């Protein structure tokens, strides 16, 4: 065989191989689109695919999808029969009917809205100049009226764009950008948002997700009320495992907000005397957020902590920290409950909130889920505020509580919910507050007559201590409350016992 013939055969083989790879990549991408949009409406009653088009070519494709978000429109009802004019004695009933109609209108759900997404897909193995099964460029498709409204915020920039690179394994990486936005009106105020950027990495099985999100900041001001809000840079990253479903995603999330400032020099409402009461400026700085969730032995646990420093008016906050958690949540039971709730239109506020049909739908769902909710009690579920701490000038105030069920048996589950809570429910709460802070609060409140004068605070605390409601611990006032086995204790003593609130 001649050299030219060999080269020709080789070129043909490469062409066939490339064409086969492209056809395979195109088939895989189309299949994944079909699966994703078939599954989407099954996840929640609030999202529906109303129109979809997939125009597939050899080297690429264009997918256009219109989603309707919100409550599904109710079926058109038959026109009501003409109603005769009420007699004089029936006018009150007619007025009542009109009032009921007005109440139903007030509780009617918001109308659903639609968004259209267009994906321009380049098939691999050389997709968009890179080695990949495909690359996808996504954007919003807006009608003329919506585009005009959007331009008031974003100018000529595209409000949302995303670029996705799909690997041959099916894993993908998406880089998304939300354009900066600005709206200013003379005499009203302005809103300036510096946009957002995010990167998301997802494995082929769609069970592992890593993402990084950055928002440079925003500024808001309202000229008439004087309210202003400024938010500094926000950065969040997460590494999540959704093998058990998105509702039960586990892993760790970390975030940091540089600053958050809120000011209302004219107040937010009107005082009883008809004058606006100014609020002190609140400034929070160096805010760190840590969240974590796990599943072990079929039990789900999650927790989060928020901490930082700041300033309220002229008072400097050296440290604040808030931490909450939930433990021993039966994962399978929780997923069943969450899925049922998400898939119920009534549970998501659809239908007329005050209507009989809506109330009956929610009651039916609650009755259906009641046995599953009670069954979860056997695993001793617990949730609470683990810590809420504020430290100022070396003085610290702290509050915490936990609530849950423990020791629940199959026999207990036969009892009504209230009886179950009284027998197996557990609640514990602790509080610590510096005496100086109580005096300062009294001094501030006394000006408006809302609290006793500061000189009475010490006497009131002493009375509370004599009755067993509080304790003195150095310069602090403390209190403990515990409910378990159907009995209530205050500071370690049963309620009603000497020195325990008798």
């Amino acid at each position: 065989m001649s050299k030219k013939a060999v080269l020709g055969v080789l070129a043909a083989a490469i062409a066939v191989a490339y064409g086969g790879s492209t056809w395979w990549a195109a088939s895989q991408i189309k299949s994944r689109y079909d699966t994703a949009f078939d599954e989407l409406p099954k996840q929640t009653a609030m999202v529906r695919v109303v129109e979809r088009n997939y125009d597939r070519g050899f080297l690429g494709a264009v997918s256009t999808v219109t989603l309707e978000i919100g409550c599904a429109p109710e079926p058109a009802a038959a026109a009501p029969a003409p109603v005769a004019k009420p007699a004089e004695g029936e006018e009150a009933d007619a007025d009542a009917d009109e009032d009921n109609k007005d109440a139903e209108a007030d509780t009617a759900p918001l109308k659903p809205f639609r968004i259209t997404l267009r994906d321009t897909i380049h098939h691999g193995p050389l997709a968009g100049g890179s080695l990949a099964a495909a690359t996808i460029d996504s954007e919003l498709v807006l009608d003329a009226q919506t585009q005009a409204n959007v331009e008031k915020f974003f100018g000529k920039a595209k409000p949302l764009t995303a670029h996705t690179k799909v690997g041959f394994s099916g894993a993908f990486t998406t880089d998304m950008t939300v354009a900066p936005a600005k709206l200013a009106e003379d005499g009203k105020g302005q809103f300036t948002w510096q946009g957002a950027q995010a990167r998301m990495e997802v494995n082929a099985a769609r069970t592992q997700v890593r993402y990084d999100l950055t928002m440079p900041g925003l500024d808001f001001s309202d000229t008439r009320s004087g309210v202003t809000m400024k938010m500094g840079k926000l950065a969040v990253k997460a590494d999540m495992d959704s093998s058990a479903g998105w509702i039960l995603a586990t892993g760790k999330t970390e975030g940091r907000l540089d600053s958050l400032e809120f000011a209302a020099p004219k107040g937010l409402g009107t005082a009883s005397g008809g004058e606006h009461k100014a609020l002190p400026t609140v400034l929070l700085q160096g805010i760190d957020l840590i969240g974590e969730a796990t599943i072990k032995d079929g039990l789900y646990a999650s927790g989060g902590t928020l901490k930082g420093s700041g300033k309220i008016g002229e008072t400097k906050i050296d440290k604040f920290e808030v931490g909450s958690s939930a433990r021993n949540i039966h994962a399978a039971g929780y997923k069943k409950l969450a899925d049922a709730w998400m898939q119920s239109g009534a549970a998501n506020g659809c239908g007329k909130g005050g209507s009989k049909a809506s109330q009956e739908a929610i009651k039916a769902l609650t009755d259906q889920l009641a046995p599953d909710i009670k069954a979860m009690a056997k695993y001793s579920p617990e949730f609470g505020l683990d810590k809420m701490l504020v430290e100022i000038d070396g003085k610290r105030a702290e509050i915490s509580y936990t609530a849950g069920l423990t020791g629940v048996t199959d026999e207990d589950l036969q009892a009504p919910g209230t009886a179950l809570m009284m027998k197996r429910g557990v609640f514990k709460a602790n509080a610590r507050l510096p005496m100086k802070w109580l005096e300062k609060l009294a001094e501030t409140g006394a000006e408006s007559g809302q609290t006793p004068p500061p000189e009475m605070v010490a006497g009131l605390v002493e009375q509370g201590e004599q009755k067993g409601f509080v304790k003195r611990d150095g310069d602090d006032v403390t209190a403990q409350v515990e409910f378990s086995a159907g009995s209530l204790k205050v500071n370690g003593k049963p309620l009603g016992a000497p020195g325990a609130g008798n």
Side-chain angles (χ1 to χ4, degrees):
M1 184 180 293
S2 67
K3 185 177 181 179
K4 289 184 178 180
V6 171
L7 291 175
V9 170
L10 182 59
I14 293 174
V16 170
Y18 186 89
S21 298
T22 300
W23 177 87
W24 174 85
S27 299
Q28 291 296 306
I29 297 301
K30 175 67 164 59
S31 175
R32 289 183 179 276
Y33 267 77
D34 291 340
T35 299
F37 287 112
D38 286 344
E39 291 294 325
L40 182 60
K42 300 176 184 178
Q43 306 301 316
T44 172
M46 305 301 287
V47 179
R48 294 163 297 283
V49 179
V50 295
E51 186 176 350
R52 182 166 178 246
N53 181 61
Y54 196 93
D55 185 10
R56 174 179 168 181
F58 180 69
L59 295 177
V62 176
S63 169
T64 306
V65 178
T66 298
L67 302 176
E68 185 174 69
I69 302 174
C71 297
E74 296 183 0
V83 180
K85 183 177 180 180
E88 182 176 351
E90 298 174 344
E91 288 182 358
D93 291 339
D95 291 340
D97 289 341
E98 289 298 323
D99 291 340
N100 289 336
K101 290 179 181 179
D102 291 340
E104 288 186 0
D106 291 340
T107 57
L110 294 175
K111 293 182 178 180
F113 64 94
R114 296 184 177 186
I115 61 172
T116 299
L117 303 172
R118 179 169 59 212
D119 292 343
T120 302
I121 305 162
H122 303 278
H123 297 149
L126 292 177
S130 62
L131 186 62
T135 59
I136 305 169
D137 291 299
S138 307
E139 61 182 330
L140 292 173
V141 179
L142 308 174
D143 57 43
Q145 181 179 355
T146 304
Q147 179 65 38
N149 291 331
V150 166
E151 287 184 2
K152 295 177 182 178
F153 289 88
F154 297 94
K156 295 298 182 180
K158 294 181 179 180
L160 174 66
T161 58
H163 178 78
T164 301
K165 182 177 179 179
V166 184
F168 294 103
S169 67
F172 65 87
T173 300
T174 297
D175 290 294
M176 184 175 67
T177 300
V178 181
K182 184 175 182 178
L183 180 66
E185 296 185 48
D186 292 339
K188 293 185 177 181
Q190 70 172 22
F191 171 82
T192 303
W193 186 42
Q194 297 177 34
Q197 301 82 39
R199 163 166 282 204
M200 180 172 62
E201 300 175 2
V202 183
N203 70 339
R206 307 294 197 271
T207 58
Q208 301 284 336
V209 179
R210 296 180 61 187
Y211 71 82
D212 290 272
L213 169 69
T214 302
M215 291 174 50
L218 67 82
D219 291 284
F220 167 82
S221 65
D222 184 90
T223 303
R224 288 172 293 186
S225 67
V227 170
T228 62
M229 185 178 73
K230 297 180 180 180
M231 189 179 82
K233 179 182 177 182
L234 171 66
V236 181
K237 63 180 181 179
D239 193 343
M240 310 298 292
D241 183 339
S242 62
S243 302
W246 287 109
I247 292 293
L248 294 170
T250 59
K252 192 171 184 178
T253 302
E254 297 180 358
R256 183 175 179 84
L257 176 61
D258 287 349
S259 62
L260 179 64
E261 183 177 356
F262 178 83
K266 299 179 182 179
L268 296 175
T270 303
S272 58
E275 298 179 357
H276 291 283
K277 185 177 180 180
L279 297 178
T281 299
V282 177
L283 173 63
L284 305 180
Q285 296 174 305
I287 306 168
D288 290 319
L289 168 67
I290 298 176
E292 189 168 8
T294 60
I295 295 179
K296 184 177 181 181
D297 299 329
L299 299 180
Y300 177 79
S302 66
T305 301
L306 181 73
K307 57 184 178 180
S309 60
K311 193 176 182 182
I312 299 179
E314 298 302 318
T315 302
K316 182 181 178 182
I317 302 174
D318 301 318
K319 177 183 179 181
F320 69 85
E321 182 175 343
V322 180
S324 61
S325 64
R327 296 171 288 276
N328 300 329
I329 310 300
H330 186 233
Y334 176 65
K335 186 177 187 303
K336 182 178 180 180
L337 299 176
D339 287 344
W341 201 260
M342 290 292 292
Q343 293 163 13
S344 168
N348 284 277
C350 298
K352 295 180 179 178
S355 71
K356 184 177 180 181
S358 178
Q359 294 174 0
E360 289 178 348
I362 293 178
K363 184 179 183 304
L365 179 63
T366 303
D367 292 343
Q368 173 192 336
L369 299 177
D372 297 297
I373 295 174
K374 292 182 70 174
M376 293 172 66
K378 291 178 61 177
Y379 300 91
S380 300
E382 181 180 277
F383 69 92
L385 179 69
D386 300 327
K387 179 188 294 185
M388 185 167 72
L389 177 152
V390 177
E391 187 174 305
I392 300 174
D393 292 333
K395 299 293 183 181
R396 171 182 297 190
E398 189 170 347
I399 298 174
S400 65
Y401 71 84
T402 58
L405 294 163
T406 185
V408 177
T409 65
D410 289 331
E411 182 181 354
D412 293 329
L413 295 179
Q414 306 306 312
T418 303
L420 175 63
M421 292 294 296
M422 292 298 296
K423 183 178 180 181
R424 300 299 185 184
V426 176
F427 177 82
K428 298 179 181 180
N430 295 275
R432 174 179 292 272
L433 191 65
M435 187 67 181
K436 287 186 177 181
W437 290 18
L438 290 174
E439 295 171 349
K440 183 65 176 178
L441 289 172
E443 182 181 340
T444 302
E447 298 176 0
S448 59
Q450 297 177 351
T451 62
E455 58 270 17
M456 291 183 61
V457 172
L460 292 173
V461 171
E462 185 177 349
Q463 291 180 23
E465 190 174 10
Q466 291 173 354
K467 291 180 175 294
F469 291 134
V470 297
K471 286 184 176 182
R472 287 295 298 267
D473 183 6
D475 295 331
D476 295 338
V477 178
T478 68
Q480 296 177 333
V481 176
E482 178 181 347
F483 175 85
S484 62
S487 65
L488 180 64
K489 294 180 179 180
V490 179
N491 294 319
K493 296 182 179 181
L495 190 65
N502 55 324

